[in-house]
Amino acid sequence: MEHVPALDEDLKKTLGPATAKVLAEQLGLHTALDLLHHYPRRYAERGELTSLTELADQIDEHVTVVAQVADARILTFNGGRGKRLEVTITDGSGRLQLVFFGAGVHKPHKDLLPGTRAMFAGKVGMFNRKLQLSHPAYEPLGQDASDRDAATAFANQLIPIYPACAKLESWKIAKCVDAVLPSAQDAVDPLPAALREGRGLVPLTEALLKIHRPGTKADIEDARQRLKWDEAFVLQVALARRRHADSQLPAVPRRPVPGGLLDSFDAKLPFTLTQGQQTVSKEIFDDLATEHPMHRLLQGEVGSGKTMVALRAMLAVVDSGGQAAMLAPTEVLAQQHHRSITEMMGELAEGGMLGGSDQGTKVVLLTGSMGMPARRQALLDLVTGEAGIVIGTHALIEDKVQFHDLGLVVVDEQHRFGVEQRDALRSKGKQPPHLLVMTATPIPRTVAMTVFGDLETSVLDQLPAGRSPIATHVVPSKDKPHFLARAWERVREEVEKGHQAYVVCPRIGDGEDDSKKKSAEDDGDKRPPLAVVEIAEQLTRGPLAGTSVEVLHGRMDPADKDDVMRRFAAGEVKVLVATTVIEVGVNVPNSTVMVIMDADRFGVSQLHQLRGRVGRGSAPGLCLLVSEMHEASPARARLAAVAATLDGFELSRIDLEQRREGDVLGQAQSGVRSSLRMLAVIEDEEVIAEAREEATRVVAEDPALEDLPGLRTALDALLDTEREQYLEKG
C-alpha cells in the first residue's frame, strides 16, 4: 500500500531534503498540513489563455503564463560561435518573447515546436523595449498523444497556479501537493457539525481536494466558501475565548460620586457634549460600574472629542477613590495631553495646591526626559495617591513606578504599543484595572472585528459643534509650479490674518537620515524625499521671509521640542515645519492651513491624520497635498481620494482596498497573517460578522471547547506563542 504522509510529518520524508528545504526557506512550508493550506492563487484553463498583456505591470516579478508557441528560431552571433533560441508565444491577447542561450537551446528547440501549448515560468525582464522571459522553466500541456483518454482528461482540467518562488515553479509545487494530497483524508474538521450543515458548507477533506484539484469552477467556489469560514471562525473563537476569560477576571467597580469631581467638571464645561460623546460615555460608565474589567476600543474621527470622553472616564475613576493612567506614544503627545487636560480641568487639576479646588486632584506628567527632582515628586504623588491622574510615555511602565490604587488605563494610539507594554502597565493595579484603548485611525468594521476582536468597540463619528470644515486640494508642483507658489501665498495670507500653519515633510535632513536619501537615489528616484531642515531654510529665505518659522522633529532634544510646541501653541511661532511627529494629538485651534510636501510618500490614513490638525477652531481649515507625481499615477489617485472626502472610515476602506491587507494592518496582525490565506477582511465582511456571532455562542455554551476536539486542535495550531501575542495586540 502506498505511504500516506501524516499531516504533521516533515516534508523531508515525503519530498526529499532538497525540495523540503526550498519549501521551508522560501515559502515557510514545513509539514504536509502546511502544504495543503498553500492554496492556488488562480487557475488556468486549457481553453482559456492567461493574459500576457498584464505582464507590463510585473517587471522583475516571477510569473507563470499559459500560452501557445507561435514560432521558434535559432540565431547565431560571435561569428557563429554563440547560439540564441528565440521563441514567441501568444495567448490571443498579446505576444511575449522567450530567450535561451548557449548549450541550453537544444532541448527547448525540440520541445517548443509551433502550436505547442505549455506553462512557462520565469522573471519578467525588458530587452530592447520588449518584454521577455530569459531561460524560463516550462511544462508542455497534454503532449501525451499515446494516451488519448489522459490527454482528454487533462484538456478539461483546471490548472492550479500556485504562489511560487524562483527555485520552485508552480507546477513543481503542484507535484508536491499531489504527494501529500492523500493525507487530506486525516484533516480534523474544526467546524461543529451543526454549524457546517446549517450553513451548507462542504466537509474539510472535500474542500482541500476541491481547492487543489477542482473538476469545475463550482468546486473552487465550494472550497473557498468552506475554507474562508474555517479561518474566520477559528480566529473569532480565539478572540471570543479571550473576551470570555477577561469577563471572568475580578475588578473594582468604579462609579462617579454625585456632586463629585466629574459633576464639578461637567458644570464648568462651556459647551454641550455631542450626542455621540454622551452615548459613548454611557457605554464606558456602564462598563466601569461592573465587577469585571472593561476592555473597550474607542475609535474616533480626528477631532471628534475622544480626549474629552477619556478624561470624563478618568474623573469618574478618581471620584471612586482610584487612579487613572494615560499612556501616550510620544513625549510631544504626552506633554500635549497633559497641557490640554490641565487647561480643561482648571483649578480641579490643582488638588491639594494653593488656589486649587477642594474636590480637585493632582494631574502629573511622567516622561523619560524629566529632571530628577520633578520625576521624584511625580513618583511620590503616584504612590501616595495624591495624584489621581498621570499622563506619560513608556516611562510609566518602569518597575519603580508604583500606584496607590490604579483603576483605569487609557492607551492612546493603540497600534504604537506592544502587548508587553500594555500588560506591564495593567499589572500595576491591585486587581486588573479597566482598560480603554483609543485610536484616531478609523478602522473598517471587519478589521476591528479581526484585529481588535477581544475589545468591545465604541465609535465617535460626530464632530463637536464649532469645528470647521477642511478644504483639501492637490498641488501638482511639477506640472504646475505656479500652484506651489500660490500655496505659499495662501500660507502668508493666513498668517497675516493672525492664524498659523504647518508644513510637513517626510525627512528630517539633519545629516543623520542620509539612509533615506541614499535609498531614494538607489531606487532611481530623481531626488530624495524633501526634508524639514531644507524646506524651513528655503521658506525663511524665500516665500515666507520675515515670518516666524521653526522646525520640529523626533531627533530634537526633548526640552527644545517642548519649547517649540509651547511657543507654537501660544501663537509666537507662525509656521511649524515638522515631520509626522505632529500626526496625532497636537491641538492648536489657531492653525488653519497645512501643506504636506511629497504627499504621495504618505499613506491615506496618515494624510487624514495630519489633515486633522487644522480646522480645530472656528476658522475654516485648508490642507494642500503637494506632489510631483504624474496625474495618471496611482499615487495621485490616492491623493485625489483624500481630497474628495473627510470621512476617515471611507478612506480607511479605500486604503485597505488599494494595498495588501498585511501592510494596512501592519504589526497588529503580524502573528496571524499566515493564518489568513483565503479570507479578505474587506470583501468577506459578512462571513467575519457571522463567524463572530457563531463563535461567541459556541464559547458561551462550552468555554473549554470540551465537546469540540477538532476546534481545539485548530486553535492550538493557530495559537502558537507568536500568535498569542498577536491576539494581545502585539
Side-chain angles (χ1 to χ4, degrees):
M1 189 183 138
E2 195 184 330
H3 167 69
V4 175
L7 287 169
D8 57 358
E9 191 168 283
D10 193 299
L11 290 170
K12 280 182 202 147
K13 283 191 183 173
T14 320
L15 305 174
T19 303
K21 186 173 186 235
V22 175
L23 286 169
E25 289 178 359
Q26 302 284 316
L27 299 169
L29 308 173
H30 303 276
T31 65
L33 189 62
D34 290 344
L35 191 48
L36 287 174
H37 286 301
H38 186 69
Y39 307 132
R41 190 195 307 259
R42 58 186 176 84
Y43 302 84
E45 298 173 71
R46 280 199 76 219
E48 167 239 29
L49 291 169
T50 310
S51 170
L52 293 180
T53 52
E54 293 166 17
L55 295 184
D57 298 330
Q58 300 183 51
I59 299 210
D60 286 341
E61 298 277 327
H62 284 276
V63 298
T64 301
V65 295
V66 179
Q68 187 165 333
V69 177
D71 63 63
R73 57 202 178 121
I74 288 186
L75 305 172
T76 57
F77 55 93
N78 276 358
R81 289 194 301 276
K83 286 187 176 178
R84 180 169 84 241
L85 170 64
E86 289 185 358
V87 179
T88 306
I89 59 173
T90 178
D91 67 351
S93 74
R95 295 166 84 82
L96 179 67
Q97 192 174 64
L98 317 177
V99 289
F100 301 85
F101 295 96
V105 303
H106 301 296
K107 189 173 185 321
H109 193 221
K110 202 164 63 184
D111 292 342
L112 301 176
L113 300 170
T116 304
R117 292 175 57 79
M119 285 197 285
F120 301 91
K123 195 175 183 180
V124 182
M126 183 76 87
F127 182 71
N128 277 347
R129 298 191 181 175
K130 281 189 179 169
L131 292 173
Q132 68 171 25
L133 297 184
S134 179
H135 276 281
Y138 59 88
E139 177 89 340
L141 294 177
Q143 290 280 300
D144 190 358
S146 62
D147 186 349
R148 290 289 167 203
D149 291 344
T152 308
F154 200 97
N156 297 326
Q157 247 182 22
L158 289 156
I159 304 158
I161 308 291
Y162 287 92
C165 59
K167 293 182 180 173
L168 212 58
E169 295 87 7
S170 171
W171 55 85
K172 289 184 182 167
I173 293 173
K175 286 175 180 169
C176 296
V177 170
D178 282 337
V180 300
L181 208 49
S183 64
Q185 66 201 30
D186 299 326
V188 181
D189 200 321
L191 293 191
L195 188 159
R196 183 170 60 71
E197 287 157 15
R199 295 189 172 273
L201 299 167
V202 299
L204 179 58
T205 301
E206 189 182 324
L208 289 170
L209 292 172
K210 282 182 168 177
I211 201 76
H212 289 292
R213 300 295 172 262
T216 63
K217 287 183 178 176
D219 284 352
I220 299 170
E221 193 46 42
D222 284 350
R224 280 183 193 277
Q225 279 307 107
R226 165 61 216 246
L227 295 167
K228 279 180 180 184
W229 253 94
D230 276 17
E231 290 177 10
F233 183 69
V234 173
L235 176 57
Q236 291 300 334
V237 166
L239 293 164
R241 288 184 81 193
R242 264 195 65 78
R243 289 197 302 276
H244 184 270
D246 285 341
S247 73
Q248 304 305 302
L249 293 172
V252 178
R254 308 283 180 175
R255 298 182 182 89
V257 177
L261 189 55
L262 178 62
D263 282 354
S264 301
F265 175 75
D266 284 350
K268 280 165 37 75
L269 283 180
F271 53 82
T272 311
L273 296 176
T274 65
Q275 184 57 53
Q277 284 174 316
Q278 291 176 34
T279 306
V280 170
S281 289
K282 183 180 183 317
E283 291 170 352
I284 290 170
F285 290 150
D286 288 348
D287 283 358
L288 289 173
T290 65
E291 294 180 355
H292 303 290
M294 165 172 80
H295 288 91
R296 189 166 284 280
L297 170 69
L298 173 55
Q299 285 194 66
E301 272 288 15
V302 180
S304 58
K306 290 183 304 300
T307 309
M308 173 60 72
V309 169
L311 174 56
R312 294 183 73 246
M314 292 195 284
L315 294 175
V317 169
V318 175
D319 263 350
S320 72
Q323 291 168 292
M326 182 184 255
L327 190 58
T330 64
E331 291 210 350
V332 167
L333 188 49
Q335 287 157 346
Q336 177 76 33
H337 275 318
H338 182 252
R339 245 194 317 272
S340 62
I341 283 173
T342 48
E343 278 168 18
M344 281 195 269
M345 287 176 64
E347 77 273 10
L348 295 173
E350 297 165 0
M353 293 157 75
L354 203 60
S357 163
D358 295 342
Q359 289 172 311
T361 187
K362 242 186 183 180
V363 180
V364 300
L365 176 69
L366 191 62
T367 64
S369 66
M370 280 169 71
M372 215 46 228
R375 187 180 174 75
R376 206 174 283 122
Q377 184 60 52
L379 291 172
L380 186 65
D381 288 341
L382 286 179
V383 77
T384 59
E386 186 84 12
I389 295 175
V390 59
I391 294 146
T393 54
H394 299 79
L396 279 178
I397 296 165
E398 290 171 12
D399 290 342
K400 61 179 77 138
V401 179
Q402 298 298 324
F403 289 84
H404 178 64
D405 178 14
L406 182 60
L408 170 66
V409 174
V410 178
V411 181
D412 195 17
E413 291 307 318
Q414 160 69 20
H415 59 282
R416 309 209 176 185
F417 290 100
V419 51
E420 300 87 357
Q421 296 163 328
R422 190 176 89 180
D423 280 0
L425 186 52
R426 284 174 63 190
S427 68
K428 292 181 182 290
K430 290 170 187 155
Q431 283 194 327
H434 299 280
L435 175 72
L436 179 64
V437 165
M438 301 199 298
T439 177
T441 306
I443 306 166
R445 176 169 162 260
T446 44
V447 181
M449 279 193 275
T450 309
V451 177
F452 295 108
D454 63 334
L455 301 167
E456 299 301 327
T457 304
S458 295
V459 176
L460 271 179
D461 49 12
Q462 250 182 316
L463 289 187
R467 275 295 165 89
S468 302
I470 305 168
T472 309
H473 302 286
V474 179
V475 177
S477 55
K478 197 169 189 179
D479 308 344
K480 299 178 178 172
H482 58 288
F483 275 34
L484 182 58
R486 175 69 189 124
W488 300 129
E489 281 173 24
R490 283 290 290 116
V491 170
R492 189 179 270 286
E493 285 164 16
E494 286 298 309
V495 168
E496 283 167 1
K497 284 184 200 166
H499 297 306
Q500 291 159 276
Y502 298 99
V503 177
V504 177
C505 304
R507 193 165 63 89
I508 296 173
D510 61 355
E512 283 189 44
D513 62 351
D514 281 343
S515 58
K516 260 192 196 176
K517 190 171 182 174
K518 186 159 177 15
S519 71
E521 286 159 357
D522 292 348
D523 287 348
D525 277 4
K526 290 182 178 61
R527 59 163 178 76
L530 292 170
V532 168
V533 176
E534 293 154 18
I535 291 293
E537 200 174 308
Q538 286 171 26
L539 293 177
T540 311
R541 285 186 186 163
L544 300 182
T547 305
S548 163
V549 177
E550 295 262 5
V551 301
L552 180 72
H553 58 74
R555 278 207 288 273
M556 285 166 62
D557 180 85
D560 293 343
K561 271 194 286 197
D562 195 36
D563 178 56
V564 171
M565 261 326 294
R566 185 171 277 120
R567 286 188 295 116
F568 186 64
E572 295 165 28
V573 173
K574 298 300 179 190
V575 179
L576 189 63
V577 185
T579 55
T580 54
V581 72
I582 58 130
E583 181 185 345
V584 288
V586 174
N587 183 26
V588 180
N590 191 42
S591 303
T592 54
V593 60
M594 169 163 295
V595 182
I596 303 177
M597 308 302 291
D598 281 346
D600 47 273
R601 293 178 188 263
F602 299 97
V604 169
S605 294
Q606 203 171 25
L607 291 170
H608 182 59
Q609 284 287 320
L610 288 165
R611 167 171 64 184
R613 300 303 112 213
V614 296
R616 300 173 79 87
S618 54
L622 173 66
C623 179
L624 301 173
L625 307 173
V626 180
S627 171
E628 290 190 354
M629 299 304 278
H630 189 270
E631 193 170 0
S633 65
R636 277 285 291 278
R638 254 194 359 257
L639 298 183
V642 174
T645 179
L646 290 171
D647 182 340
F649 288 92
E650 173 60 24
L651 286 173
S652 67
R653 181 174 276 273
I654 290 168
D655 203 10
L656 201 51
E657 283 168 353
Q658 283 189 348
R659 296 160 61 187
R660 277 180 40 250
E661 286 165 6
D663 297 339
V664 180
L665 307 182
Q667 288 304 301
Q669 207 193 2
S670 63
V672 92
R673 181 71 210 151
S674 52
S675 80
L676 296 188
R677 297 179 179 86
M678 194 60 81
L679 198 68
V681 291
I682 280 289
E683 291 163 30
D684 299 317
E685 184 164 343
E686 209 172 294
V687 174
I688 293 169
E690 289 174 10
R692 182 179 166 108
E693 275 177 36
E694 293 277 13
T696 306
R697 186 180 54 73
V698 164
V699 171
E701 289 170 8
D702 181 7
L705 307 179
E706 286 170 6
D707 300 332
L708 298 165
L711 181 52
R712 271 210 317 276
T713 305
L715 266 184
D716 292 341
L718 176 76
L719 298 180
D720 55 28
T721 316
E722 182 191 2
R723 297 189 191 136
E724 274 286 10
Q725 292 188 346
Y726 148 73
L727 289 173
E728 296 263 18
K729 307 292 142 314

